[in-house]
Amino acid sequence: MTRITIFLCFICFEISSQTLNLNNTFFEESLRRAQLNGEIDSLISFTVRPIHANIFDFEKNIFNNEIYSPTALTFLKGKGKLKILPIDYVANYNTHHPYNRNNGSMIPNRGFQHLISAGIYFELGPLSIQFKPEYIYAENKDFDGFWEEHYDITWARRYSLWNRIDMPERFGTEKIKKNTLGQSSIRLNYKSLSVGISSENIWWGPSKRNGVLMSNNAKGFNHITLNSRRPIKTKIGNFEFQFVTGRLEPSGFDPPGTERTFGGSNIFVPKINQLSEQNDWRFFQGYTFTYSTKWIPGLHLGAIRWLQMYGTMFQGGYSWIAQANNGSTLGWFPIFGNFLRKNDKIEPYEKETDQAAGVFFRWLWEDSKAEIYGEFNFNDSKFNFRDLLSDSDHSRAVTLGVHKLFDTKNNSQIEFQWEWTQLEQTAGRLVRNAGSWYMHGRVYHGFTNNGEVIGAGIGPGSNSQYLSVSNLKKSKKIGFAIEIIDQDNDFYYLAFEDSKDFRRYWKDFNLHLFYQKKFPKFWGSFNLMYSRSLNYQWELTHNNDLPYYQPGRDVNNFHIDFKLTVPIEIKNEN
């Protein structure tokens, strides 16, 4: 009898925790536009992603979950359910060098690359299982990377980054074929809460192009998650949150030129922990929360914090830290420890830990069909509150964005989007160098997973401006975008400050043409990008017969990106 009672309680809990695939933005963009048009609840912040779309009461013309993932089987009077997830297919091609942005398990690649994914979703009571593995194939062709003719000192200065981050130019020399768990999870769900294990990609914050502190730019990492599935309503407003503990993995690949020397020493240093063990995994823990105020409709305020350390340290392998801490271990939740350095109990702990934090806002103006958003993040902890106030630019990264819809007379809309991100260090680096974003002085793999930055896809030391204009009509979107990227200015200043060579900025000017549409049987999108790189890889061969200001090496790259989502149609027989 007791077992029957427990089982009945188990199946009576509220169910459904299926998420939208972060790596195909078609659906999330549609929902975000629908919110600007006043068609869905303005209390959804879109700052904790992926979205648990099937627990929201969306109109079927906005998002029809039964078409996206039809139910193949129900049992126990609807308390149990088996759904078929759509087939996701992503393909891209680069002609000259990699262009890689927010595509999860796919790698920086020259040539052809594709990803295919399909799966099922099962739920019974509070239990939900989403199994959506991914298969990736990449040609991984050779390309011109960091210029071989740079002086040895320039190579050594490039390694000041590469020795402190796991970000290989190329993932070996062979074609890549791999299977991953992809967007899979096992969860227990109750009302607005969910707890479980997952390999899904995560995105924290309101940004659309460059999520500075967490994005889907790299392969999703295995993690334990406790999160809200929808806004938690209180008397003072709504709250959303996610708390994650996970494991970050090394790529196993080295940067180019590992055999080079400078000043009689090798410039390459293997990535080891403090016990001289190579390619240790990293313990990651982080959280984000968003508050949607009751008194200012559409305003969402939030914060993010994360830390990482080598797995050996987390497991107690650094004996000197335990000794300095009176024999105590770090515990299971180091993220809730000291926030400011003045509270450090032991100095070695702070040195061996990589951490970052930030605040953000998203303000939806429903009457104007517009939103503005921003992030302000720090890559280094502050000594105390006074340090925070007086040197607020130290180690900071900033994003600002605007998204606006304009109605037209022919029942269509014009969509305008602009996003600016700056990761480059400020002038304060001259007296207090924070190092580039995502690198670290003791966690030598930096903030990466499987060789790619988990944050902004533009990478350390870089800046980006992205402006797009498109026409929206029914289920179709067509438009263009201009993207300007300053490639790793932090390295540029370090490498050429002695020579005062102001000609070598590596700058990309990218023109995007894109098309998206919901067809009767599938959703599809296509993006063609032409890129003109000025001073590619900071390469310039000076000709004494020409004036001093002469161009470096400029190259062209074409990038094609194609995405397809095909739902599996199931005919119910009466």
Side-chain angles (χ1 to χ4, degrees):
M1 185 66 181
T2 302
R3 292 180 180 178
I4 295 175
T5 302
I6 293 174
F7 178 74
L8 290 175
C9 291
F10 184 83
I11 65 174
C12 285
F13 281 121
E14 183 179 352
I15 56 180
S16 298
S17 192
Q18 175 197 331
T19 56
L20 288 180
N21 188 346
L22 262 181
N23 299 318
N24 192 338
T25 59
F26 184 96
F27 306 101
E28 184 185 308
E29 287 182 359
S30 298
L31 292 175
R32 202 152 166 169
R33 284 195 298 268
Q35 190 181 56
L36 266 59
N37 281 316
E39 296 171 338
I40 66 174
D41 194 344
S42 64
L43 293 177
I44 303 172
S45 71
F46 289 96
T47 61
V48 184
R49 292 168 272 177
I51 301 293
H52 295 255
N54 60 339
I55 68 170
F56 293 106
D57 189 22
F58 297 135
E59 295 291 336
K60 289 186 177 181
N61 65 318
I62 299 173
F63 179 77
N64 191 329
N65 190 57
E66 197 55 36
I67 292 179
Y68 177 79
S69 55
T71 301
L73 176 67
T74 60
F75 52 94
L76 294 177
K77 297 181 179 180
K79 299 298 182 182
K81 187 181 296 184
L82 178 67
K83 298 171 73 69
I84 306 300
L85 298 177
I87 298 172
D88 286 312
Y89 180 76
V90 182
N92 61 43
Y93 187 85
N94 288 293
T95 59
H96 184 268
H97 59 269
Y99 176 88
N100 191 64
R101 295 287 186 279
N102 305 330
N103 55 12
S105 301
M106 301 178 85
I107 66 167
N109 169 78
R110 174 178 170 257
F112 176 74
Q113 177 176 205
H114 72 173
L115 177 153
I116 187 167
S117 175
I120 59 173
Y121 174 80
F122 169 84
E123 59 187 25
L124 175 62
L127 173 67
S128 67
I129 300 175
Q130 180 170 291
F131 181 61
K132 201 163 194 308
E134 298 170 343
Y135 170 77
I136 300 95
Y137 166 81
E139 283 189 293
N140 195 29
K141 290 183 177 180
D142 194 13
F143 64 94
D144 293 337
F146 194 64
W147 190 32
E148 290 282 343
E149 301 303 316
H150 277 308
Y151 294 130
D152 288 342
I153 188 173
T154 307
W155 272 89
R157 288 174 175 175
R158 190 58 179 157
Y159 262 89
S160 66
L161 171 73
W162 282 341
N163 282 333
R164 293 171 175 83
I165 193 170
D166 181 20
M167 197 173 68
E169 277 192 344
R170 189 180 177 205
F171 285 59
T173 59
E174 305 295 328
K175 294 179 180 179
I176 302 292
K177 298 177 182 180
K178 62 180 179 179
N179 295 285
T180 76
L181 285 173
Q183 312 306 308
S184 301
S185 66
I186 302 175
R187 296 172 176 269
L188 292 174
N189 312 292
Y190 177 69
K191 294 186 177 180
S192 298
L193 301 177
S194 178
V195 62
I197 56 176
S198 174
S199 61
E200 294 174 287
N201 283 108
I202 303 170
W203 191 299
W204 289 345
S207 298
K208 304 180 76 174
R209 294 286 300 180
N210 287 291
V212 174
L213 288 181
M214 180 65 69
S215 79
N216 66 328
N217 189 63
K219 175 180 176 289
F221 58 91
N222 296 332
H223 60 273
I224 302 170
T225 176
L226 171 64
N227 59 274
S228 59
R229 301 185 296 153
R230 61 187 176 200
I232 300 171
K233 297 182 179 180
T234 71
K235 293 182 179 180
I236 61 172
N238 291 3
F239 290 88
E240 299 170 72
F241 76 93
Q242 184 171 27
F243 172 73
V244 165
T245 298
R247 175 180 175 128
L248 305 180
E249 302 290 351
S251 70
F253 299 105
D254 294 329
T258 55
E259 75 288 349
R260 286 180 173 263
T261 61
F262 175 68
S265 300
N266 293 329
I267 60 174
F268 169 65
V269 179
K271 292 176 173 57
I272 59 176
N273 61 23
Q274 296 305 307
L275 298 184
S276 298
E277 300 167 338
Q278 290 194 37
N279 288 323
D280 193 6
W281 66 277
R282 281 153 292 139
F283 171 85
F284 170 87
Q285 197 164 78
Y287 61 79
T288 182
F289 66 86
T290 302
Y291 168 57
S292 304
T293 173
K294 175 182 178 181
W295 299 278
I296 306 178
L299 179 60
H300 309 281
L301 306 172
I304 302 170
R305 189 190 179 200
W306 56 251
L307 62 77
Q308 63 164 342
M309 64 188 75
Y310 278 120
T312 298
M313 175 179 169
F314 174 72
Q315 293 170 330
Y318 292 4
S319 58
W320 62 93
I321 291 182
Q323 292 172 2
N325 200 28
N326 298 319
S328 300
T329 61
L330 300 177
W332 289 101
F333 304 105
I335 190 66
F336 297 114
N338 58 298
F339 186 73
L340 298 172
R341 285 182 179 174
K342 71 171 187 176
N343 299 321
D344 286 340
K345 294 180 180 179
I346 48 173
E347 183 180 356
Y349 171 79
E350 194 280 326
K351 287 184 177 181
E352 302 293 341
T353 305
D354 181 19
Q355 57 181 309
V359 294
F360 60 80
F361 77 93
R362 177 174 180 251
W363 199 351
L364 171 68
W365 298 341
E366 196 171 295
D367 292 342
S368 300
K369 298 186 177 182
E371 63 171 308
I372 61 172
Y373 57 86
E375 301 182 19
F376 196 89
N377 307 293
F378 292 109
N379 193 34
D380 193 12
S381 59
K382 297 296 184 178
F383 182 78
N384 54 28
F385 190 65
R386 182 183 180 90
D387 184 23
L388 176 64
L389 293 178
S390 63
D391 194 6
S392 57
D393 272 354
H394 172 69
S395 77
R396 67 105 174 97
V398 181
T399 291
L400 290 174
V402 177
H403 182 198
K404 164 73 175 168
L405 300 178
F406 298 90
D407 293 329
T408 64
K409 295 180 180 180
N410 59 350
N411 295 322
S412 66
Q413 290 183 311
I414 300 298
E415 182 180 43
F416 171 85
Q417 297 185 76
W418 172 78
E419 184 172 296
W420 168 71
T421 298
Q422 184 179 48
L423 299 184
E424 171 192 333
Q425 287 198 72
T426 63
R429 68 182 180 85
L430 299 175
V431 294
R432 187 184 185 188
N433 194 337
S436 292
W437 266 82
Y438 310 124
M439 63 178 281
H440 193 257
R442 293 293 182 91
V443 183
Y444 299 120
H445 288 79
F447 187 52
T448 63
N449 186 46
N450 287 97
E452 294 184 82
V453 168
I454 310 175
I458 56 176
S462 301
N463 309 315
S464 168
Q465 291 201 57
Y466 181 87
L467 185 150
S468 73
V469 178
S470 53
N471 178 265
L472 309 171
K473 192 167 186 178
K474 294 183 179 179
S475 57
K476 181 173 67 175
K477 175 179 178 178
I478 184 169
F480 72 93
I482 298 172
E483 181 181 33
I484 302 174
I485 300 174
D486 301 311
Q487 295 281 3
D488 201 350
N489 277 351
D490 286 350
F491 164 73
Y492 171 71
Y493 300 139
L494 175 66
F496 302 107
E497 62 181 350
D498 295 340
S499 62
K500 309 298 181 186
D501 191 343
F502 56 86
R503 303 167 298 172
R504 294 177 180 261
Y505 286 97
W506 175 9
K507 202 160 190 171
D508 289 348
F509 293 85
N510 303 332
L511 174 64
H512 299 256
L513 301 175
F514 51 81
Y515 179 82
Q516 297 179 0
K517 185 176 180 179
K518 181 184 181 299
F519 295 89
K521 298 292 185 180
F522 61 90
W523 293 270
S525 68
F526 177 82
N527 180 55
L528 171 64
M529 185 198 77
Y530 164 69
S531 177
R532 179 68 170 175
S533 296
L534 305 185
N535 304 316
Y536 176 71
Q537 297 287 352
W538 306 276
E539 181 179 339
L540 188 151
T541 302
H542 181 74
N543 186 339
N544 291 324
D545 297 330
L546 296 176
Y548 176 74
Y549 195 89
Q550 51 193 262
R553 183 189 179 196
D554 302 340
V555 303
N556 299 315
N557 183 47
F558 286 92
H559 170 84
I560 300 172
D561 184 80
F562 174 74
K563 295 180 180 179
L564 197 66
T565 296
V566 183
I568 306 300
E569 186 176 355
I570 296 179
K571 296 181 179 180
N572 294 319
E573 297 182 0
N574 294 325

